[in-house]
Amino acid sequence: MIPAGFLPPALGPQRTFALVAGVESYDISHRWNLRGPARDALRFAHWLTGPGQVPPGNLRLLLSPLDDPGALDWPDSPAMAALRAAYRPATEENVKAALLDELPQCDGDLLWIFWAGHGYLGPRQELMLPCSDARPSQIRHLNLDSALRWWRTDLVKHRSFPLQAALVDSCRVDAPRDARWNFGSTDYGGGNSVPGRRQFRLYASREGEAAQNDAERGAGRFTEALLAELGTRSVREGVSGLPAAARSIHRTFQDLRERGGGWQLPQFLVDRDWDACSFLDDDPTAPAPPRAARLDQQAWDGLGALFEGRELPRCAHEAYAWAFKAAGCTTPVGGGLPGDGLLEVVQDLDERQGGPGGMPLAVPFVRFLADRVAAAGDTAWADRLKDWVHSTRERLVLPVLPPPPPPARTTVVHVGLEPPPDGGPGFRARMWLSGERTEQIWESQGAPVRLDAVREELLRQLVLVGAAPADGDRAGPRLRGGVDRIEFHVPYELLDTAFDQWPVPRGPAGRPRALGLLHQVVVRCPQERADTRAEWRASWRWLCTRGGRHPDAVRVVKESEVTDALGMELAERPAPACVLAHTAAVPHAGLLEAVLEGGVPVAVWRRGGGEPAPPLLDLLAPTGPDGRPDPGALDVLALPARVREVRRAAAGAAASAERAAQHPSREDQLVLLWDDPDDIPGFRSLA
C-alpha cells in the first residue's frame, strides 16, 4: 500500500482527472486496425465515474473505434451518457490539447493516463503511441515518455497533481528502422522539475515484447486483469493499492505462462512504486520471480576454446530462436542475431538470462549447434560442443533439455548443364538427388544431348523418386513424397530459359502441367562465381544469420540503376542478398552481370524482360503497417516456395481470363536465381 504520508489529504473524486484513450482505427492502413481498445477505454472510464465517482467533466475521453461510436457498448449511467456526448476522436491534435493544454490547467491531486492501442519504441526507447490520424508520411503519435517528463515540470500548476499514474495496454516493440515508418522527432520540452511529483507506470509488456489482445471478446488481457484488481474500489483505494495490484497482475500472468497458457503472453514491467523504488522484484513481502543461472568462468573458458576461429554457422539464427523456446521464455521481437560472432551471441543470451525453469539461454543455443553440426558431418566439433553442454549442466545443476527439432528435410533434384568443350550443339548433363545425403542419379553418355532429352530424363527420374518406397532397395534420400525443388545449374546464357514451363503429363489423361506449378523451380549459375566467391558466401551467411528477413536484405533495381558500376556497388557490403529486377530490358543487358559480379545469391526477374506489373514486391512481399509491401518482412529464404505460389495463382487467373476471353497475366513468367553456396553437388566440371 502507498504510505499514508504520500496521499494528499484532500485526494478524492473531485480532485482526480484523467485522459482515457482507445484507438482501434488508424488512417495509415486498415491492417493496423484492431478490435478492443475502444471498449477497454470505456470500461476504464466506467470504473472512474462509477466506483471511483469521478465527475465526467474531469475526464478527457478520446475514442477512435472501428465501428460506429453509437454501436459501442456504452455503460448505462448518467456519467457515461455525458461522456458519450463529449468524447473526441483520438487524433494527435486532440491528444495534445487534452494532455498538454486542458488538464494541466486543472487543480487536482491525481492524474490518470489510460491508453489502449498500438505502441512502439523509438531509437531512444521512448514509448510512442500512434494516434488515429497516423499516416505513412507522418505517423502522428503521443510520445508518452516525453509527456510524462513534461508533467513533472513547473509548466503544470504549482503544487497540483503530485500523483500521476500511466496505465498502458499496448505493445512495446521496436519501430522498424525503415524510411516509411516516419514517426519524426517529438519532444514536448518542459520547464523546471518540481520536487515531490511522483509517477507510477504500469505497462502491458516489457521492452521488445507484444501485448495480447482478444479480438473476439474485444478486450486487452492487461485491461481485463487491471479492472479485475480495481473492482469496486474508490479512487483513493485504487491509487493507494496500485503497487499491490501490479504485483498481483504480474503473478497472474507469470502463473499463466508457467502453465503453458501461451507463448507470446505479455509480461509486466512495473517501473516504480510511489516512493520511486523498484518493487516488482525487490518487494520483501512477495517472492521474487525465479531467475536463471548465469554462465560461470569455467563455462566461458570452454566456449572461448570451442568458438575460436569459428564463423557463425548457417543454423545460428535457428539456434538463437530455439534457445528462448527451450528455456520457456519469449523470443525477442525482431529478426536477426545480436552480433556477428558466436561469443557475441552467447554474451547476449547470458545477459538476457533465461526462463523460470532456471536454464541459461546459452546452454540450449550450444546444444542446438551441436546437433546441427553433427548432422552436417563435423562430428569432432559436435562432440566437443556436447561435452560442454553436459559438463555445464552438471556443474550448474541445470534441468534436462528437450532435444532440438530435426532439420527440415528438402528433397532436391539438381540438374547440371554444360556446353560441350568443342562448342557444338547440345549439352553435357548430369543429375543428382539430394536429401539426407546426395547421390548422382543420371549422367549423359556419348554425344551432347538437347534440352528435350534432358526434360524427358528429368520426368523419368521424378517418377522414380516419387515411386521409391522409404525402405526400398535404394536407401538414402529417395523418400516418400517426391521432390520438393528442382535446381538447374546452367551456363549464364541459359538463365532466362523457361525451365519452369516444361510440360509434365499428369493424371490418367496425361494433361500437361507446367513444371513450376508442381515443384519449386530455380536456376543457378555457380560457375560464374569464381571471382566473387568471398562476397557470394558472405552475402548468403549474412542472410542466414538474420533468418532470411531484414530491411536491407532486398533491393529493387530499376532501369536507371543498371550501370557498369552496379556490380561493384552490390559487392561492397553483404546486403542486399536479393535483387528484384524492375527493368524493361532483358536482364542479360547488364542486370544479371551486376548480380553475379556483386556476389548477390538471389535474384528475381520477369522472363524476357519488361518491367513487371504489378511490381515484384507486390507479388512477393507481405504488406506492412502502411498498407504497402514491406521488404523487411519478405522471407528471402522462403522465396522458392513463394514464387511457386505466385506461379500457381497466375495459372488460375490465366485460366479464368481465357474463359472470359481476356488477355492472360504474365505474372507466372518469373525467374528465380537461387545460389546457395553451401549446397552445390558435383561443383567440378562435367568435362
Side-chain angles (χ1 to χ4, degrees), residues 347-408:
Q347 183 177 2
D348 172 84
L349 291 169
D350 196 52
E351 289 174 353
R352 294 177 184 271
Q353 300 190 39
M359 177 64 70
L361 289 166
V363 176
F365 174 77
V366 178
R367 169 65 189 279
F368 190 101
L369 290 183
D371 276 41
R372 292 298 171 88
V373 166
D378 192 349
T379 56
W381 193 37
D383 289 342
R384 293 174 61 201
L385 292 170
K386 291 177 181 178
D387 289 343
W388 180 91
V389 171
H390 178 74
S391 61
T392 302
R393 277 192 53 242
E394 284 196 339
R395 191 172 60 257
L396 300 182
V397 195
L398 301 177
V400 176
L401 269 173

Side-chain angles (χ1 to χ4, degrees), residues 291-514:
R291 298 175 69 84
R294 308 275 306 254
L295 296 182
D296 57 12
Q297 188 58 49
Q298 186 173 343
W300 280 111
D301 291 342
L303 288 178
L306 280 171
F307 293 162
E308 184 179 3
R310 297 276 181 175
E311 295 180 343
L312 279 171
R314 64 183 295 166
C315 66
H317 184 268
E318 292 178 83
Y320 183 76
W322 184 76
F324 290 90
K325 184 174 182 179
C329 52
T330 304
T331 306
V333 174
L337 292 173
D340 295 325
L342 283 167
L343 283 177
E344 292 177 79
V345 175
V346 172
Q347 183 177 2
D348 172 84
L349 291 169
D350 196 52
E351 289 174 353
R352 294 177 184 271
Q353 300 190 39
M359 177 64 70
L361 289 166
V363 176
F365 174 77
V366 178
R367 169 65 189 279
F368 190 101
L369 290 183
D371 276 41
R372 292 298 171 88
V373 166
D378 192 349
T379 56
W381 193 37
D383 289 342
R384 293 174 61 201
L385 292 170
K386 291 177 181 178
D387 289 343
W388 180 91
V389 171
H390 178 74
S391 61
T392 302
R393 277 192 53 242
E394 284 196 339
R395 191 172 60 257
L396 300 182
V397 195
L398 301 177
V400 176
L401 269 173
R409 293 296 181 188
T410 302
T411 303
V412 180
V413 170
H414 298 266
V415 181
L417 300 173
E418 284 190 4
D422 60 5
F427 299 92
R428 298 171 59 88
R430 183 183 294 179
M431 297 182 192
W432 303 265
L433 183 63
S434 175
E436 294 181 2
R437 63 185 180 87
T438 300
E439 62 172 324
Q440 181 176 311
I441 55 177
W442 179 77
E443 183 176 6
S444 61
Q445 302 291 333
V449 296
R450 297 187 177 276
L451 288 181
D452 287 345
V454 176
R455 180 180 65 84
E456 293 300 325
E457 182 59 35
L458 174 61
L459 298 184
R460 190 178 75 86
Q461 292 296 332
L462 291 177
V463 172
L464 292 175
V465 173
D471 54 353
D473 295 335
R474 300 195 65 175
R478 296 198 175 198
L479 303 177
R480 190 181 303 277
V483 172
D484 300 296
R485 186 163 64 243
I486 302 171
E487 302 185 358
F488 289 87
H489 302 240
V490 299
Y492 173 80
E493 294 76 14
L494 292 184
L495 283 177
D496 212 37
T497 303
F499 296 111
D500 56 284
Q501 300 297 320
W502 278 2
V504 179
R506 298 280 286 186
R511 180 180 179 180
R513 296 285 191 186

Side-chain angles (χ1 to χ4, degrees), residues 28 134-140 179-184 626 628:
I28 189 170
R135 296 184 176 91
S137 58
Q138 180 65 56
I139 303 180
R140 297 181 173 92
R180 297 173 301 161
W181 286 67
N182 181 27
F183 280 94
D626 59 359
R628 295 184 294 176

Side-chain angles (χ1 to χ4, degrees), residues 202 225-226 229-230 233 238 241-251:
L202 181 57
L226 173 65
E229 290 292 332
L230 293 174
R233 295 179 182 181
L242 267 181
R247 281 194 293 271
S248 176
I249 292 169
H250 183 270
R251 285 194 294 269

Side-chain angles (χ1 to χ4, degrees), residues 617-652:
L617 268 180
D618 290 359
L619 286 174
L620 302 174
T623 304
D626 59 359
R628 295 184 294 176
D630 181 6
L634 175 58
D635 187 353
V636 178
L637 295 177
L639 268 180
R642 177 63 188 142
V643 168
R644 182 176 63 175
E645 290 176 7
V646 171
R647 288 169 177 158
R648 288 178 170 177

